[in-house]
């Protein structure tokens, strides 16, 4: 795979994760998604920056799920969202 293809794949993955975050915010499910957006907006973060951080948290949980061959851990995901702007250790 060329570097160009890898960059395209990475951009597609990030867009997909951000769309998933947008869907969570719109549905207020999990509740931590909308709460995190509101909290970070109040302290001065721009929406795009917030979505990027939230996407990194989602990617971290998906990676952990795949690495450990386990189901998605909603509680851990919500806890990591609520910890933002501090990112999970492996993502930072």
């Amino acid at each position: 795979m060329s570097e160009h293809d890898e960059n395209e794949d990475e951009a597609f993955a990030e867009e997909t994760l951000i769309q998933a975050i947008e869907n969570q915010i719109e549905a207020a499910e999990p509740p931590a998604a909308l709460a995190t957006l509101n909290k970070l907006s109040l302290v001065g973060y721009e929406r795009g920056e917030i979505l990027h951080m939230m996407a990194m948290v989602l990617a971290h949980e998906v990676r952990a799920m795949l690495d450990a061959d386990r189901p998605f851990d909603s509680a851990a995901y919500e806890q990591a969202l609520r910890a933002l702007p501090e990112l999970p250790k492996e993502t930072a």
Side-chain angles (χ1 to χ4, degrees):
M1 185 180 288
S2 71
E3 184 176 326
H4 179 72
D5 290 342
E6 288 179 22
N7 289 342
E8 283 182 8
D9 287 350
E10 194 171 300
F12 175 77
E14 184 171 358
E15 288 173 23
T16 302
L17 289 168
I18 287 175
Q19 185 57 56
I21 297 297
E22 290 277 20
N23 293 344
Q24 291 176 359
I25 290 168
E26 185 177 321
E29 188 57 45
L34 182 57
T36 299
L37 174 68
N38 291 336
K39 175 187 89 170
L40 294 176
S41 293
L42 285 172
V43 295
Y45 285 91
E46 296 293 326
R47 183 179 179 90
E49 189 177 12
I50 296 167
L51 294 175
H52 179 75
M53 286 190 287
M54 292 174 72
M56 290 176 70
V57 169
L58 180 56
H60 169 77
E61 176 53 32
V62 169
R63 192 174 312 114
M65 175 185 81
L66 294 173
D67 288 349
D69 192 28
R70 62 162 172 78
F72 189 85
D73 186 341
S74 296
Y77 173 61
E78 289 194 56
Q79 183 177 6
L81 283 177
R82 292 183 188 281
L84 285 174
E86 184 177 323
L87 293 169
K89 296 300 179 221
E90 296 84 355
T91 305

